[in-house]
Amino acid sequence: MAQQKPSIPKGTRDFNPNEMARRNYIFDTIRKHFKLYGFSAIETPSMENLSTLMGKYGEEGDKLLFKVLNSGDFLSKVSEEQLNEKNSNKLTTKISEKGLRYDLTVPFARFVVQHRNELTFPFKRYQIQPVWRADRPQKGRYREFYQCDADMIGSTSLLNEVDLVQLIDDVFQDLSINVSIKLNNRKILSGIAEFVGEADKIIDITVAIDKLDKIGLEGVNKEMEAKGVFPKAIEQLQPIINLSGTNSEKLDTLKELLASSEIGVKGVEEMSTVLNYLEALEVKSEVELDLTLARGLNYYTGTIFEVKALDVAIGSITGGGRYDDLTGIFGMPDVSGVGISFGADRIYDVLNELDLYPEHTEDSVQVFFVNFGSDEGKYCLPLVSKLRKNGINAELYPASAKMKKQMKYANDKNIPFVVMIGGNEMEKNLLSVKNMESGEQNDMNLEELINLIKR
RNA sequence: GUGAUUGUAGCUCAGUUGGUUAGAGCGCCGGAUUGUGGUUCCGGAGGUCGCCGGUUCGAGACCGGUCUUUCACCCCA
């Protein structure tokens, strides 16, 4: 049989033990803060019914969904005529009814509606699972990646937004990543579109403005023009696109400009409220009202969040927002929610680039026992067990291989302490403990070893 | 989906205008050292040159296709 070369699909990755230790450090840190803020864990299946996913992420999103073929002879139900038509979109609905989840928010909305009678509202959940997008991979962009979501649903209070900003701040402080937390509000964007008389072009306008950093003012104007925004409207937009100053200065300007737009006023009010609360708190990261922050899914209706790493160019590492009616499409209208999503894989890339990992993570082995033979090995077993019961990661080499091989094993695994117990030590009832970093070696009993590690 | 780009040992890369048996460093394995890793010395193994096809007396090199990598656009964590 011909050997096949092992490979994995485009845009996916293997993670070796070292990488997993680092990833778990990220997940553990985020999870810790999720819990501190009162979120409970849930999980949903990798696959959802396509009817749940389709149409929730815009036309572009539908294209990026991974679809799963029906089981069995999936073509048997397709007519000759449909096959000959060669219309992929039409055929897809006949031969595929499941798809891999594209994010965690829509499955969460489905979950909430499906389990509404079992849940207590406001419901706060966190969810750390992979999602899949059939995108072309590039820097910081994968086809399989983890999202770490925290959402609260069933409360319109802006205190939730405030909580989320603090949560973001806490997580990135803990990870030692310098970030800028950018805030905007969909209602302000609507107000702006209304103010310039192009309410129906809000998406085109905001998507264009979002690219300000990348393509400059001229590029933004050109793009709006190409999308059919009236020149007069573009002119009126200029002071808004160029808006600068402190958050409160920006708000003052907007308040004046948007006074005629009911929804715009509402947006400015919401933003002021959130920023006011935050001023009284100790948020270490920079929090900025950024009108160019417009990306995001079509379902955001209020506050929009985005977090950028200050020291690495990698796009946003966290995003989120408020959605007033995500559950409506599943038959549960008028339930407002707000949430954020940490992009674990991009955070991983940032930490790698800045080399910000702690040297020893909770995953690593702390004590290694050399195995000198069957009697010696047997003698070690209860000692290893005792260390583990004391919460110390420990292992005994499974065979009495050459000393050199065993030492190399411990060295390669970066294990800080090696215990050697041969005939001498057994007789004296002592452990010969070698500190692998300093090379020092001392005899001691188990209690002393435990104290040495725990201190 | 559009336009570029990459692929030679486990890793990072050399490889002349197409010409014998494709190289290096690191890593790996063994030994110097039968209870001492990381340093040193000696020795060794390891390659269908991404894959398929074409041009040629002859292809790692040239051509076509395909997969993969990276990047930009679209969009996005």
Side-chain angles (χ1 to χ4, degrees):
Chain A
M1 196 170 79
Q3 288 258 319
Q4 70 170 36
K5 201 163 207 169
S7 65
I8 54 175
K10 182 200 288 218
T12 65
R13 297 152 297 159
D14 286 328
F15 298 110
N16 65 33
N18 185 36
E19 290 165 330
M20 272 317 293
R22 293 175 159 212
R23 289 173 67 81
N24 282 336
Y25 162 69
I26 296 171
F27 292 132
D28 291 345
T29 302
I30 292 173
R31 188 180 291 115
K32 177 176 88 191
H33 290 285
F34 281 172
K35 288 181 188 168
L36 282 169
Y37 278 78
F39 293 91
S40 320
I42 69 159
E43 289 202 356
T44 61
S46 312
M47 280 182 278
E48 292 278 347
N49 292 324
L50 272 183
S51 55
T52 301
L53 302 174
M54 295 288 282
K56 309 298 191 299
Y57 309 104
E59 218 173 298
E60 203 60 40
D62 284 354
K63 282 189 215 156
L64 298 180
L65 284 170
F66 277 108
K67 288 141 194 129
V68 177
L69 280 178
N70 292 342
S71 310
D73 186 6
F74 53 81
L75 277 182
S76 63
K77 289 178 196 155
V78 182
S79 69
E80 204 63 30
E81 190 189 339
Q82 285 165 328
L83 275 178
N84 288 332
E85 219 179 308
K86 295 196 174 169
N87 181 325
S88 299
N89 282 338
K90 260 174 136 175
L91 193 61
T92 299
T93 61
K94 302 284 178 201
I95 63 177
S96 165
E97 54 190 20
K98 298 176 289 296
L100 296 177
R101 70 165 100 78
Y102 177 91
D103 71 358
L104 300 178
T105 308
V106 167
F108 172 56
R110 190 225 84 222
F111 175 95
V112 167
V113 176
Q114 201 171 325
H115 299 279
R116 66 219 270 185
N117 294 324
E118 308 150 36
L119 302 174
T120 304
F121 292 92
F123 179 56
K124 295 167 71 170
R125 82 87 171 79
Y126 78 85
Q127 190 170 351
I128 299 178
Q129 290 190 274
V131 303
W132 294 268
R133 295 183 189 177
D135 213 349
R136 281 242 187 134
Q138 52 180 280
K139 189 178 172 74
R141 179 178 290 197
Y142 307 99
R143 287 186 145 183
E144 177 183 59
F145 61 98
Y146 273 76
Q147 290 194 329
C148 312
D149 276 36
D151 289 76
M152 39 261 272
I153 195 160
S155 162
T156 55
S157 169
L158 292 171
L159 284 179
N160 294 316
E161 270 87 339
V162 175
D163 239 16
L164 288 176
V165 172
Q166 291 187 88
L167 171 58
I168 292 169
D169 188 48
D170 285 353
V171 166
F172 288 112
Q173 286 297 321
D174 205 347
L175 293 171
S176 305
I177 300 176
N178 296 318
V179 296
S180 166
I181 303 173
K182 299 186 184 290
L183 299 180
N184 196 2
N185 192 300
R186 194 71 177 205
K187 296 191 178 84
I188 294 180
L189 295 173
S190 297
I192 292 171
E194 214 172 277
F195 161 68
V196 300
E198 295 271 21
D200 54 323
K201 289 252 163 49
I202 174 169
I203 301 267
D204 290 330
I205 292 174
T206 52
V207 165
I209 295 179
D210 184 36
K211 294 178 191 162
L212 182 63
D213 266 357
K214 213 175 201 170
I215 60 179
L217 183 59
E218 228 171 282
V220 171
N221 290 338
K222 235 181 233 168
E223 173 151 339
M224 287 195 289
E225 204 183 323
K227 293 283 182 184
V229 179
F230 286 114
K232 186 174 160 241
I234 295 177
E235 199 188 310
Q236 280 180 296
L237 280 169
Q238 299 309 299
I240 293 167
I241 301 174
N242 280 317
L243 193 64
S244 63
T246 64
N247 288 338
S248 56
E249 282 167 4
K250 288 180 189 170
L251 279 172
D252 286 344
T253 311
L254 284 171
K255 202 169 174 183
E256 264 176 53
L257 281 172
L258 303 182
S260 62
S261 160
E262 195 184 325
I263 193 160
V265 170
K266 187 94 199 343
V268 173
E269 271 174 24
E270 285 183 12
M271 187 57 65
S272 310
T273 307
V274 172
L275 289 173
N276 256 325
Y277 274 121
L278 287 173
E279 257 166 47
L281 295 162
E282 274 187 38
V283 177
K284 304 240 174 46
S285 310
E286 146 192 322
V287 177
E288 189 194 0
L289 165 58
D290 184 354
L291 291 181
T292 72
L293 195 179
R295 66 177 57 195
L297 307 171
N298 316 357
Y299 45 70
Y300 290 142
T301 52
T303 307
I304 304 173
F305 306 93
E306 184 164 302
V307 179
K308 290 209 141 183
L310 292 177
D311 307 317
V312 177
I314 195 167
S316 70
I317 52 178
T318 291
R322 178 171 285 278
Y323 38 86
D324 279 339
D325 198 27
L326 191 62
T327 54
I329 196 148
F330 300 118
M332 192 173 159
D334 302 323
V335 180
S336 187
V338 60
I340 49 166
S341 178
F342 290 86
D345 297 82
R346 285 191 179 172
I347 293 172
Y348 175 81
D349 288 344
V350 169
L351 288 176
N352 266 337
E353 206 159 322
L354 301 177
D355 201 18
L356 284 176
Y357 286 99
E359 195 178 337
H360 290 285
T361 65
E362 286 174 21
D363 293 25
S364 48
V365 176
Q366 292 153 285
V367 181
F368 173 83
F369 282 71
V370 174
N371 188 333
F372 283 112
S374 55
D375 288 348
E376 291 90 339
K378 194 174 170 192
Y379 179 91
C380 289
L381 284 175
L383 301 173
V384 176
S385 168
K386 220 174 216 150
L387 286 178
R388 291 173 180 156
K389 293 212 163 94
N390 275 276
I392 295 167
N393 301 349
E395 65 174 329
L396 166 69
Y397 198 81
S400 58
K402 277 188 186 152
M403 184 77 165
K404 182 179 168 122
K405 189 173 165 80
Q406 299 195 43
M407 290 301 285
K408 186 170 156 44
Y409 175 89
N411 190 59
D412 288 350
K413 277 184 85 168
N414 216 349
I415 299 171
F417 295 100
V418 169
V419 173
M420 280 159 278
I421 300 178
N424 283 342
E425 287 82 4
M426 282 164 74
E427 223 169 88
K428 288 190 269 178
N429 211 11
L430 283 172
L431 289 67
S432 188
V433 177
K434 176 159 183 170
N435 179 325
M436 291 294 276
E437 204 183 326
S438 66
E440 262 177 80
Q441 195 164 329
N442 293 302
D443 286 356
M444 61 183 77
N445 63 34
L446 191 68
E447 290 307 312
E448 289 169 321
L449 175 61
I450 291 171
N451 289 334
L452 177 68
I453 290 163
K454 286 214 159 164
R455 122 190 130 184

